[in-house]
Amino acid sequence: MKVVMPETMRKMDKLAMEDFQVPGIVLMENAGKAVADVVEKAYQRKCFASKKVYIFCGKGNNGGDGFVAARHLKNKGFSVEIFIPEKKESIAGDALINLTILEKMNVSLNYIFSNEQLNRAYDLLNKDDGNFALIDALFGTGLKGDIEGRYKDVINLINKMKGYKVAVDIPSGICGRTGKVLGEAVKADETVTMGLLKPGLLLYPGAVYAGRVTVADIGMPVDLIEEIEPEGILLNEDFIKNLFIPYPPNVHKGFFGKVFILAGSKGLTGAAALCALTAQRSGAGLVTLGVPESLTAVFEVKLTEVMKKPLPDQGGCISLDALDKALEFSQKVDVVAVGPGLSTNENTKKFIREFVKNCKKPLVLDADGINAFQKHPELLREKEGQIILTPHSGELARLLNTSPQEIEENRWQKVVEAADEFNCTVVLKGARTLVKSPDSPVYINPTGNPGMATGGSGDVLTGMIAAFFARNPDPLKAACAGVYIHGLAGDIAREKKGEIPLIAGDILDNIPEAFLKIF
């Protein structure tokens, strides 16, 4: 599903009106009716007990959508009361036309200019004890600065109420581009967004404030929707299913790709084992694990199906002396994954940098495979060939010489920046993992849950992406398939065990069910 920035959606509105001659009031009519329909369905689900609706409307088109919703709800038999924190003189255009209609219909209109009027609104809503719907039609996706003054007080009032809250387009106070809270924001139970999804509804904390999201058809011409170049794509099962190439029945293991994984060190053998087992379970034809020579016996016991490649080590960590042997073997495989549990040993970091620099095969870099370039990001910029980076916010912050907080507050912007900076596919892990290649939209992953925030989860993802990369030479497709199926396996594990006890091995164990669900 396409995801567009607020300014792209405004451009689409303009094109619909100017090129396709769709009147703006028609778009507003469809938007408001869609909101009314969602409220009626919520009532039928008994999200609230009475046919009473309170609507808070701003002065712009978002408020106009609220006015239209009010008319349709009144016609459906709902008791409707409207609150407007503006003077009537500030309302114009299509919104004013719909407000005038409500006046003719004798809908109750309350203008809020003082604390006394605000307190009256509070008392009116509070007496119903949450048995009502509340529609937030104050601000749309165009909000830029922090909310202050009277509107901040109104939003605080809305959030104190127990009613079922429905936001129009986006919860008021949420940035449509980033999902940030702009001073104060409405905490909605459901959001009806118009035309297409916006990033602020998918990125946190906006996703929490939005609640359940419904995308409303407002009569936007289908040709316009198909032609528009979106900034993002929300992954779904159909998209993932199409990434897997059907094979003829007379295949052998060579058809499914050969993966070489450089991983593990003393005390970190589990990371290597999880990565290798996941690559095997995710469909790689042959998996070879390059490990410190002194730890080979440990891996012989841990892993049955996975082949091992003992490499010269120093104190249980792969050393620079392993370079020639590792590079020579890499020529026999399709993809090399570097990083899980390799350690931050200085000699190992030198090995990683030299290996990546000289390896001619596609690469997946994770964890210590990324950390080795912390002070040498130019080596990644200069690297030719296909690379997938899979950092969390801390690892990406070290590469971009910034803070993890800066990454988390600007995830969309930073994954775009990193993909361009290093000319590769970047998987920014976290709540709503994002995937970006230099010439692609940002792909947003909807699967996964908080229980997956556990040691080893990233090692499982690396093995999965490496396996898919070996089967499909497109790094973007491999990364998208990896993050989606990884999250889906985690969601299945949560259904069986809950979030708190979930461990990385549970994700690995549920990969087969994830595949069965998709295929």
Side-chain angles (χ1 to χ4, degrees):
M1 181 180 289
K2 290 184 176 182
V3 180
V4 296
M5 288 293 176
E7 55 268 31
T8 301
M9 196 70 236
R10 287 193 289 274
K11 176 185 174 183
M12 291 176 67
D13 288 341
K14 186 177 180 182
L15 289 171
M17 289 184 281
E18 293 181 357
D19 291 3
F20 291 86
Q21 298 296 298
V22 180
I25 200 164
V26 170
L27 298 175
M28 184 176 287
E29 178 70 18
N30 292 335
K33 185 178 185 306
V35 173
D37 289 344
V38 163
V39 171
E40 184 178 36
K41 288 176 183 176
Y43 172 72
Q44 291 168 352
R45 297 197 309 270
K46 295 302 177 186
C47 295
F48 54 97
S50 70
K51 294 191 78 170
K52 186 170 287 187
V53 182
Y54 296 104
I55 307 178
F56 288 78
C57 296
K59 64 181 179 180
N61 286 340
N62 199 254
D65 295 344
F67 296 147
V68 173
R71 170 162 43 86
H72 284 283
L73 287 167
K74 183 172 174 62
N75 289 341
K76 291 172 184 286
F78 284 82
S79 169
V80 178
E81 188 123 8
I82 294 177
F83 298 90
I84 308 169
E86 291 286 347
K87 293 181 180 179
K88 181 181 176 181
E89 292 74 28
S90 67
I91 301 171
D94 296 334
L96 178 59
I97 291 173
N98 282 293
L99 176 59
T100 303
I101 295 171
L102 294 181
E103 290 176 332
K104 300 290 186 183
M105 294 174 67
N106 295 317
V107 173
S108 178
L109 302 173
N110 304 274
Y111 293 90
I112 301 175
F113 302 115
S114 66
N115 288 336
E116 182 183 346
Q117 291 167 321
L118 190 67
N119 290 334
R120 179 186 173 278
Y122 176 84
D123 292 339
L124 187 63
L125 273 68
N126 199 42
K127 72 178 184 180
D128 289 319
D129 196 31
N131 292 317
F132 56 85
L134 189 155
I135 297 176
D136 160 34
L138 294 171
F139 294 104
T141 58
L143 186 65
K144 292 182 173 64
D146 284 359
I147 289 178
E148 299 174 339
R150 184 167 68 251
Y151 276 101
K152 185 173 183 178
D153 293 337
V154 170
I155 288 176
N156 281 327
L157 182 154
I158 290 172
N159 285 336
K160 288 176 183 175
M161 295 299 108
K162 298 177 184 178
Y164 190 78
K165 303 181 185 78
V166 177
V168 177
D169 211 13
I170 195 166
S172 293
I174 294 297
C175 175
R177 293 180 60 87
T178 67
K180 289 181 184 177
V181 176
L182 299 174
E184 202 70 49
V186 171
K187 189 80 178 289
D189 297 291
E190 187 163 0
T191 297
V192 184
T193 197
M194 308 309 164
L196 292 169
L197 287 166
K198 291 83 185 177
L201 297 168
L202 302 172
L203 302 175
Y204 290 96
V208 173
Y209 282 76
R212 173 178 178 173
V213 177
T214 299
V215 180
D217 177 4
I218 60 171
M220 192 70 65
V222 66
D223 290 348
L224 180 54
I225 293 175
E226 290 176 354
E227 289 170 8
I228 203 73
E229 291 291 336
E231 286 84 3
I233 299 286
L234 182 65
L235 296 173
N236 58 32
E237 283 190 9
D238 288 338
F239 182 93
I240 299 303
K241 189 183 298 186
N242 290 331
L243 301 184
F244 287 85
I245 303 167
Y247 287 92
N250 60 330
V251 296
H252 54 75
K253 58 194 174 190
F255 273 82
F256 303 125
K258 300 174 184 177
V259 177
F260 182 31
I261 299 171
L262 291 165
S265 59
K266 189 175 182 179
L268 297 172
T269 58
L274 281 169
C275 184
L277 282 171
T278 302
Q280 195 94 61
R281 182 63 78 186
S282 299
L286 287 169
V287 178
T288 302
L289 184 60
V291 298
E293 199 165 28
S294 63
L295 301 178
T296 305
V298 175
F299 288 104
E300 291 289 5
V301 174
K302 274 181 172 285
L303 304 169
T304 304
E305 293 93 343
V306 176
M307 295 181 290
K308 297 87 187 172
K309 185 71 176 175
L311 296 170
D313 69 295
Q314 186 181 83
C317 301
I318 294 176
S319 73
L320 188 58
D321 294 337
L323 182 62
D324 290 342
K325 193 173 182 180
L327 284 172
E328 181 182 359
F329 186 78
S330 72
Q331 295 305 305
K332 302 175 183 178
V333 302
D334 299 296
V335 168
V336 184
V338 183
L342 274 177
S343 84
T344 54
N345 177 284
E346 286 301 323
N347 194 267
T348 305
K349 288 199 284 189
K350 289 179 183 178
F351 162 78
I352 293 168
R353 290 193 291 268
E354 287 299 316
F355 180 86
V356 170
K357 177 182 176 181
N358 292 285
C359 182
K360 306 300 182 185
K361 295 292 182 172
L363 293 161
V364 181
L365 301 186
D366 179 43
D368 293 326
I370 296 172
N371 291 332
F373 293 91
Q374 177 180 352
K375 296 179 181 178
H376 307 274
E378 73 283 352
L379 298 179
L380 279 180
R381 293 189 204 104
E382 296 165 1
K383 171 66 181 173
E384 294 183 359
Q386 293 181 319
I387 298 179
I388 300 175
L389 299 179
T390 64
H392 55 56
S393 57
E395 290 159 351
L396 187 58
R398 288 189 281 274
L399 273 186
L400 295 179
N401 193 29
T402 186
S403 67
Q405 182 181 356
E406 175 70 14
I407 299 293
E408 281 302 301
E409 290 180 354
N410 300 279
R411 287 174 60 81
W412 191 287
Q413 174 190 335
K414 293 303 180 182
V415 76
V416 171
E417 183 181 326
D420 291 340
E421 176 86 2
F422 302 111
N423 193 34
C424 67
T425 299
V426 178
V427 176
L428 179 53
K429 297 183 291 192
R432 291 284 152 83
T433 291
L434 303 177
V435 183
K436 178 74 170 72
S437 288
D439 298 320
S440 79
V442 174
Y443 287 82
I444 308 105
N445 181 43
T447 63
N449 62 82
M452 297 173 69
T454 183
S457 178
D459 305 316
V460 172
L461 177 62
T462 299
M464 188 174 284
I465 291 175
F468 296 158
F469 203 6
R471 294 172 66 107
N472 188 325
D474 186 321
L476 181 65
K477 291 180 179 179
C480 287
V483 299
Y484 187 91
I485 298 174
H486 177 259
L488 182 58
D491 289 341
I492 294 169
R494 176 181 59 180
E495 290 173 10
K496 296 178 180 179
K497 299 187 176 182
E499 285 185 359
I500 293 175
L502 198 153
I503 61 173
D506 297 327
I507 304 171
L508 169 58
D509 291 342
N510 284 283
I511 290 172
E513 284 198 42
F515 274 106
L516 287 172
K517 187 175 188 306
I518 293 174
F519 294 102

